[in-house]
Amino acid sequence: ITLDLLRRLVESGKWPVTSDARSRVIKSPRSSSTPSDTFLTASKKSSPVSAFPENNTISSGSFTVVNAGIWHDDNDASLPLANALFPELTKSVFDLEKEIIRLTG
């Protein structure tokens, strides 16, 4: 469910813009499974695409959600904006986390 919700965000063009600060820390993973001529770049556009265009660049981006159930601040205004924008995704992410903990616990 979580992966499907993430894919729908990309397809709908609703993926949030990545901040300048965050885009500077998203790095290209280097491993034996990643071709040396493939680069990961954080996109400041509103629709990152995880694909391999002809120039072998993967456009990506990120945003933050937190588990409001364990958030240590009584002020809901301090929750990340993505929590309010994507409540179904936020719930799904933390349901998945609980299931992973249960299975590996």
Side-chain angles (χ1 to χ4, degrees):
I1 295 172
T2 304
L3 185 55
D4 185 51
L5 291 168
L6 289 166
R7 286 179 176 145
R8 280 192 258 160
L9 274 181
V10 171
E11 291 166 1
S12 68
K14 293 180 180 176
W15 191 282
V17 174
T18 302
S19 71
D20 287 339
R22 186 169 289 187
S23 68
R24 287 192 296 269
V25 298
I26 297 176
K27 302 285 185 197
S28 177
R30 294 287 183 226
S31 70
S32 59
S33 63
T34 305
S36 61
D37 60 346
T38 299
F39 300 97
L40 181 78
T41 60
S43 174
K44 294 179 190 172
K45 299 178 238 168
S46 62
S47 62
V49 179
S50 294
F52 294 92
E54 289 184 27
N55 66 358
N56 291 327
T57 299
I58 302 169
S59 181
S60 66
S62 67
F63 58 90
T64 300
V65 294
V66 299
N67 186 337
I70 61 171
W71 188 244
H72 297 289
D73 190 340
D74 294 331
N75 182 0
D76 285 342
S78 66
L79 292 174
L81 179 59
N83 275 57
L85 291 174
F86 312 118
E88 184 181 11
L89 174 63
T90 300
K91 181 182 180 320
S92 178
V93 164
F94 295 109
D95 286 349
L96 176 60
E97 178 187 56
K98 285 178 195 173
E99 185 65 10
I100 291 169
I101 291 168
R102 185 185 72 76
L103 291 172
T104 62

